[in-house]
Amino acid sequence: MKKNVQTKPLSQMQLFVTKRSTLEQKIISYFEHTKNVSMIIQYAVAIMIKNALVLSDYSDFLKDLVRELFLTAEPSDVLRKNLPYFKPYFKSGEFDTVVHRLFSNKKAYLKFSEEARLTSKYLHSVIQAPTEISKYNYYLVAVFKATNGKRHTWTLRDINPAVTTEEAGEQTYKLLELLTTLPLFEQGDSWKFAQYVKFDYFKNAKVMHHEAPKEELEEMIEPKAALQQKQPESAQISEEPTEEAKEELTIMVPHGFDPRTLSDAEAWALVQAHLPEGKRLEEMAVVFVERPAEPSDEQEPAFVPPTISDFVQQSHVQKSEEQPAVGVVDPPKPEPVKERTRKNRPLSGSQLAAQSLINSRGSRQEGTTGKTSKKNKHKGKNGKNRKRKKR
């Protein structure tokens, strides 16, 4: 099997996406070809940051190579600055030996590494992952500013759900600040992770997962193995285990939207709409990211429907303004009704019927009273006439 050969510095995607076994081979190959001690130490610190955030195990990454470099490599500022992060890689006696190699005495080391030793606890703090398998995948989306002032986004997948809690927010912040101390991933004269800006955690649901049946895989492997045995060694094709990271296609979905509810056709249509021109789906890693909930705008005042009493008061005010009474001070205008009260509620059907009945009875009484008074007046006139005739 052909060995991975790495002669150029690792890219951001190679370092943070490649699986552990392949990544270790690449970094070791890079060191064999370049002997660049500073880059190896910085790669190891970056992977320690990743290990503190993700579910996958990257603990003791390149432990043997890192130990060898601290014990034998020529002292440098990079070794001194990052030594506190690798203390668990050494036994107590070995670590003291490294300290005396890099510093004049232990007191000088403690003074120089005060801040780094405080940050080191976040690299090695163990946060237990949940035992139950979650239906969601968690992602870290962080924003950094490069030395040229441009912002860029860094996405880290396979996040441990336990570190997404509010209590663990300080740990994430310290780890991202530590990433800014590593001058990695230069683009020309610009250094990408120069300044930390912000981070967010997102969760998204798996839309689709499919694996070929084991029987079909076995049928495909057996003929291939038999064919290779028949061919001479010179004709056999050596396959390099490539685990090149796919380009990530992030699709933002509204807050509360579950992509699993989409049908296969709907999901494919959504992916096609976001697929970059000239790219194929096989070349991309599709990630659905749920947008955070936006704060609700200020609530508008609730609409209060007008009531019968409102119209009565309004008509009363209009009549008073049109025909003011002589010698009477104008009554104060009623203030607009801000909220309903019991006295200002719309009348129910039964209340309207009762009000109508009261009004009709009142009008009858007024009519009866008027007739009675006229009758009595008429009788009074007749009584006087009768008395005059008797005289």
Side-chain angles (χ1 to χ4, degrees):
M1 184 177 293
K2 188 177 179 180
K3 187 178 179 181
N4 285 335
V5 177
Q6 186 75 30
T7 58
K8 296 181 180 180
L10 276 71
S11 66
Q12 177 181 332
M13 188 163 290
Q14 283 180 314
L15 185 62
F16 291 116
V17 180
T18 308
K19 290 184 178 180
R20 174 169 182 162
S21 57
T22 305
L23 180 60
E24 288 179 331
Q25 294 176 12
K26 287 181 177 294
I27 294 179
I28 292 174
S29 175
Y30 175 73
F31 177 71
E32 291 174 350
H33 286 82
T34 63
K35 303 301 179 182
N36 192 332
V37 176
S38 297
M39 291 299 291
I40 301 303
I41 297 301
Q42 292 180 71
Y43 288 154
V45 174
I47 295 303
M48 292 174 74
I49 295 173
K50 177 179 178 179
N51 181 64
L53 295 171
V54 301
L55 289 170
S56 303
D57 183 17
Y58 286 85
S59 59
D60 295 334
F61 185 77
L62 293 177
K63 183 175 181 179
D64 294 337
L65 178 58
V66 170
R67 281 166 47 84
E68 179 184 351
L69 295 179
F70 274 105
L71 288 169
T72 61
E74 183 179 353
S76 65
D77 290 340
V78 173
L79 292 176
R80 295 187 186 95
K81 184 175 65 175
N82 296 287
L83 175 60
Y85 308 137
F86 296 99
K87 185 176 181 179
Y89 281 28
F90 302 92
K91 297 178 182 179
S92 59
E94 289 179 336
F95 188 76
D96 291 338
T97 301
V98 176
V99 169
H100 288 294
R101 282 192 72 248
L102 301 179
F103 297 90
S104 57
N105 53 56
K106 193 169 184 178
K107 185 176 180 181
Y109 160 72
L110 294 176
K111 183 178 180 180
F112 180 83
S113 64
E114 182 177 359
E115 185 176 352
R117 284 184 286 113
L118 293 175
T119 306
S120 179
K121 67 178 182 180
Y122 297 105
L123 284 171
H124 303 289
S125 60
V126 179
I127 300 180
Q128 296 294 335
T131 55
E132 298 181 359
I133 299 177
S134 175
K135 62 180 179 180
Y136 292 100
N137 294 327
Y138 290 81
Y139 296 82
L140 168 68
V141 179
V143 178
F144 291 88
K145 186 180 291 186
T147 51
N148 60 5
K150 294 183 179 180
R151 293 190 177 193
H152 66 94
T153 301
W154 176 56
T155 302
L156 185 63
R157 297 183 288 178
D158 189 36
I159 293 295
N160 181 355
V163 304
T164 63
T165 60
E166 187 175 354
E167 294 78 10
E170 181 71 12
Q171 174 178 348
T172 303
Y173 166 69
K174 291 295 184 180
L175 293 174
L176 296 180
E177 281 284 337
L178 175 58
L179 193 59
T180 62
T181 65
L182 308 176
L184 299 171
F185 318 123
E186 294 181 359
Q187 293 180 340
D189 296 333
S190 178
W191 167 24
K192 291 186 69 176
F193 292 88
Q195 182 180 354
Y196 161 75
V197 179
K198 64 178 181 179
F199 77 87
D200 291 288
Y201 280 116
F202 296 94
K203 65 178 181 179
N204 71 294
K206 294 181 180 179
V207 178
M208 185 190 306
H209 177 75
H210 179 268
E211 292 182 2
K214 292 183 179 180
E215 297 178 357
E216 294 183 8
L217 291 175
E218 292 175 358
E219 292 177 358
M220 293 174 63
I221 292 172
E222 289 178 359
K224 186 176 180 181
L227 179 63
Q228 288 182 350
Q229 289 178 359
K230 292 180 181 180
Q231 294 178 346
E233 292 184 1
S234 58
Q236 291 184 9
I237 301 174
S238 61
E239 294 186 358
E240 180 181 350
T242 58
E243 299 198 17
E244 296 296 333
K246 294 183 179 181
E247 184 178 350
E248 188 173 285
L249 174 61
T250 302
I251 300 177
M252 303 297 292
V253 296
H255 178 71
F257 175 76
D258 189 351
R260 296 174 302 168
T261 59
L262 297 172
S263 64
D264 293 348
E266 291 171 336
W268 172 237
L270 181 61
V271 172
Q272 274 189 319
H274 292 79
L275 197 64
E277 186 177 357
K279 294 289 185 179
R280 295 182 303 171
L281 181 60
E282 294 79 7
E283 303 172 351
M284 310 295 292
V286 181
V287 177
F288 289 93
V289 177
E290 181 182 356
R291 296 182 185 276
E294 297 181 357
S296 59
D297 297 330
E298 296 182 0
Q299 296 183 354
E300 297 181 356
F303 172 71
V304 180
T307 61
I308 293 176
S309 58
D310 292 339
F311 290 110
V312 172
Q313 291 179 5
Q314 186 177 359
S315 61
H316 176 71
V317 172
Q318 290 177 353
K319 289 180 180 179
S320 300
E321 292 177 353
E322 294 174 359
Q323 299 176 357
V326 179
V328 180
V329 180
D330 293 338
K333 296 182 180 179
E335 296 182 357
V337 180
K338 295 183 179 180
E339 59 181 8
R340 292 189 203 167
T341 60
R342 291 186 177 179
K343 295 180 180 180
N344 198 20
R345 291 178 179 172
L347 300 179
S348 63
S350 58
Q351 290 174 335
L352 287 172
Q355 186 67 36
S356 177
L357 183 60
I358 292 171
N359 294 338
S360 62
R361 286 184 179 179
S363 61
R364 286 179 185 177
Q365 288 179 359
E366 291 178 0
T368 306
T369 305
K371 290 179 181 180
T372 305
S373 59
K374 290 180 180 179
K375 188 175 181 180
N376 293 337
K377 186 176 180 181
H378 181 68
K379 285 183 179 180
K381 290 181 180 181
N382 294 338
K384 290 181 180 181
N385 295 335
R386 286 177 185 175
K387 289 180 180 180
R388 289 178 183 176
K389 288 180 180 180
K390 287 181 181 181
R391 288 180 182 177

